[in-house]
Amino acid sequence: MNETKQKILDVALDLFSQNGFSAVSIRDICKIVDIKESSVYYHFKNKQAILDELLRHFESIATGFMTQLEQALTISPKTVEGNLFAHTCDCFFEQYLMDEYCNKIMRLLSIERFHNDEMQKIYDYWILDKPINFQTKVFSLLMSIGIIKATDSKYLSLKFYAPIYLFTQRWLFCGPLTDKHKQVFRENAYAHIHNFFKEIEGI
């Protein structure tokens, strides 16, 4: 990709994730990239076109990531116990929620979803629907091979994911992604996972 075009995308994403799409102008982007506005229009029709390309790249990453997680469900039952949840949580936390690019897109979606229906749909799909549906499949698999007792897998997925979502909002989507926030998120998320599985042992 052309170096100037990539820099426009990088700067735009930084500004969008900090201030929201609506609050950022082409002029704001040009000032940081240090180019004339005409240079932006050489690469992009308008500001919406910049956003569209950022979202397309995010959805490509997210689709690949979810495909990787879905493939993990096809491993043999002997490999599942003790490994599946550790693997999927590590991927979901480190490679998705705490990936610099994905995290910036999610913070942008978090800002814009309140007044943009399309952003709300994207936010719901990638931050709520896809993770919850995947966790439901995980719990169904764990039940089918006898690792946990049979119960309502959708309920378990909601009970499991709700605190993760809360911790994500509190520490990962609250501003720039810092090492301190990532560490606090990890501590709370993994403590929750440990307590969650201790609780469902008795189900």
Side-chain angles (χ1 to χ4, degrees), residues 108-131:
L108 162 62
L109 294 172
S110 296
I111 295 169
E112 290 297 315
R113 67 192 178 99
F114 295 109
H115 49 82
N116 184 312
D117 290 343
E118 187 58 32
M119 295 289 219
Q120 179 71 64
K121 290 177 184 177
I122 298 171
Y123 177 94
D124 287 348
Y125 185 76
W126 289 111
I127 300 175
L128 296 172
D129 297 342
K130 290 293 282 186

Side-chain angles (χ1 to χ4, degrees), residues 13 17 78 82 98 120 139 180 182 192 195:
L13 180 56
S17 68
K78 289 184 179 179
M98 290 190 278
Q120 179 71 64
F139 287 119
K180 181 179 179 180
K182 288 192 285 188
H192 159 64
N195 292 330

Side-chain angles (χ1 to χ4, degrees), residues 85-86 89 93 139 148 159-160 163-164 167 185-202:
F85 240 91
C89 287
F93 296 160
F139 287 119
I148 60 176
K159 187 174 181 180
F160 173 82
I164 300 296
F167 300 149
F185 170 82
R186 290 187 189 104
E187 290 169 359
N188 282 271
Y190 283 109
H192 159 64
I193 292 168
H194 174 75
N195 292 330
F196 176 84
F197 277 97
K198 281 185 67 176
E199 286 180 10
I200 67 172
E201 284 175 1

Side-chain angles (χ1 to χ4, degrees), residues 51-63:
L51 176 62
D52 291 343
E53 183 148 342
L54 291 170
L55 290 175
R56 276 195 298 271
H57 185 52
F58 166 72
E59 295 197 348
S60 175
I61 294 172
T63 298

